[in-house]
Amino acid sequence: TLTASPVTPDTVSPITHALSGGSLAASTPLCTWYGSQDLAAHPDLYKALVEKLGRDIDERFSGDVDGKASGILVNTSGWIEELGYQLLLHAAEVLRINVILIMGHDRLYSMITTHFRKKAAQEDEMADDEAGPVASFVPPKIIKLPRSGGVVSRDSTFRRLARMQCIKRYFNGDLLRSTEGTVVQQYTPYLSEAPFQNIKLYKLSSVSLASSMLPVSGKQTTDPVQLTPITDLNPTLQHAVLAVCHPSAVEAFQKSGEPSDLYLSGMAGFVVVEKVHMEKSSLSLLSPCSGALPSFTFLIGDIVWIE
């Protein structure tokens, strides 16, 4: 997922939010579904989600003077080669970042410093050619920080285990000690049945045309991100993590037919396919709490979770 969350005392946990009496709209995270651990899988989708988060943050700040004054902190991906580097620059531009902190990576510091120095020079040349006053480009301030002694890079195994632990925490919460002294889970996940006929499942796919396939100076007019309906519900779905779409997004998608109305909308939550019942034509879905799901329209990626 790509998520933006307010960092305030009342957003630390559901308990502190309930005690603070804060506004739900002001403290609810903006969570969008990417559905993969690989940024190279859907770069067009990743860019679209970052741009959507930027617009949503601007909209929320329009009614929050304190939040706008505080700004945002962006934790980027650790992939800094080729496409990963381009996505990093895209995020800095879209989110209008004015300070970039680079920790213990001289090469990345040099690359980003050179990039923005060249961009500033290009913008100055364009401003000289334009008639009338033109707003000058102000490059972000780039700060190189030393890496603390003893710090090591996390390997792929550690990152994979950390992701699995985050999914487990979403469904089970933290481990707490009861009054009897036993260790119990904070939440009690709920298992519900969903008939095949009620489920609408979509998988995101990229349809990005190469520049050689477009007219000279032409741009792709179709949405590079498409939704592929999954009609064959079978046991291969077991353990898949599904994103639950908001009813309002589902309604907008049904009226317009535009994939962006669905995949750019924030997710209502997530479920895991515990079991596929072919004989009963239904799915057993694990959710963090009891009650009916907001909708039976789901997005699926390549994320799986086995407890």
Side-chain angles (χ1 to χ4, degrees):
T1 61
L2 275 74
T3 304
S5 176
V7 184
T8 57
D10 59 332
T11 60
V12 173
S13 71
I15 297 176
T16 57
H17 179 269
L19 294 176
S20 69
S23 169
L24 182 62
S27 60
T28 303
L30 303 169
C31 182
T32 57
W33 172 251
Y34 180 69
S36 178
Q37 302 172 15
D38 184 9
L39 288 183
H42 304 292
D44 293 316
L45 172 61
Y46 185 86
K47 289 182 179 179
L49 294 178
V50 172
E51 293 168 4
K52 179 61 165 58
L53 275 183
R55 294 193 297 270
D56 288 343
I57 291 171
D58 286 342
E59 183 178 353
R60 179 167 290 186
F61 278 172
S62 64
D64 185 356
V65 177
D66 293 336
K68 187 174 183 179
S70 300
I72 60 174
L73 298 174
V74 181
N75 182 22
T76 62
S77 165
W79 185 23
I80 60 171
E81 303 291 341
E82 300 175 348
L83 178 60
Y85 177 66
Q86 297 302 322
L87 294 176
L88 175 63
L89 295 178
H90 174 263
E93 178 182 355
V94 170
L95 300 177
R96 301 195 300 277
I97 301 301
N98 56 10
V99 177
I100 298 178
L101 303 179
I102 301 176
M103 182 174 294
H105 205 297
D106 294 338
R107 180 167 172 264
L108 179 60
Y109 175 80
S110 177
M111 290 167 59
I112 291 185
T113 301
T114 302
H115 168 80
F116 283 108
R117 185 185 299 121
K118 290 181 178 179
K119 185 173 181 179
Q122 292 173 356
E123 293 289 340
D124 289 342
E125 291 179 3
M126 293 177 60
D128 292 338
D129 296 336
E130 294 288 340
V134 178
S136 61
F137 171 73
V138 180
K141 185 176 182 180
I142 305 170
I143 302 174
K144 181 172 65 174
L145 300 177
R147 182 180 297 179
S148 300
V151 172
V152 296
S153 299
R154 299 175 299 177
D155 58 22
S156 58
T157 301
F158 180 89
R159 295 196 301 270
R160 178 176 56 81
L161 293 176
R163 285 193 293 265
M164 293 300 102
Q165 187 63 31
C166 287
I167 297 177
K168 181 177 181 180
R169 188 169 180 263
Y170 175 82
F171 287 98
N172 298 328
D174 297 319
L175 293 178
L176 305 177
R177 188 168 296 278
S178 66
T179 55
E180 291 80 13
T182 58
V183 177
V184 297
Q185 295 176 350
Q186 185 179 11
Y187 306 141
T188 302
Y190 179 74
L191 203 61
S192 62
E193 295 286 326
F196 285 176
Q197 61 184 7
N198 294 346
I199 294 175
K200 293 183 179 179
L201 183 61
Y202 298 94
K203 186 178 182 65
L204 296 167
S205 59
S206 296
V207 189
S208 183
L209 300 179
S211 58
S212 59
M213 300 177 64
L214 297 172
V216 177
S217 301
K219 294 184 179 181
Q220 182 172 340
T221 56
T222 58
D223 193 332
V225 181
Q226 298 294 322
L227 295 177
T228 304
I230 306 296
T231 56
D232 182 21
L233 305 182
N234 57 61
T236 60
L237 294 175
Q238 188 170 0
H239 305 306
V241 178
L242 310 180
V244 185
C245 298
H246 274 292
S248 58
V250 175
E251 183 180 358
F253 172 64
Q254 291 173 343
K255 290 181 179 179
S256 67
E258 294 292 335
S260 58
D261 285 336
L262 202 59
Y263 72 79
L264 287 183
S265 298
M267 297 296 105
F270 306 94
V271 296
V272 169
V273 180
E274 279 290 292
K275 192 171 183 182
V276 181
H277 304 281
M278 298 302 297
E279 67 283 356
K280 297 191 298 183
S281 297
S282 66
L283 298 180
S284 290
L285 301 176
L286 183 70
S287 58
C289 58
S290 60
L293 295 176
S295 78
F296 286 103
T297 300
F298 306 99
L299 299 181
I300 186 173
D302 58 20
I303 307 294
V304 297
W305 180 60
I306 304 174
E307 186 175 7

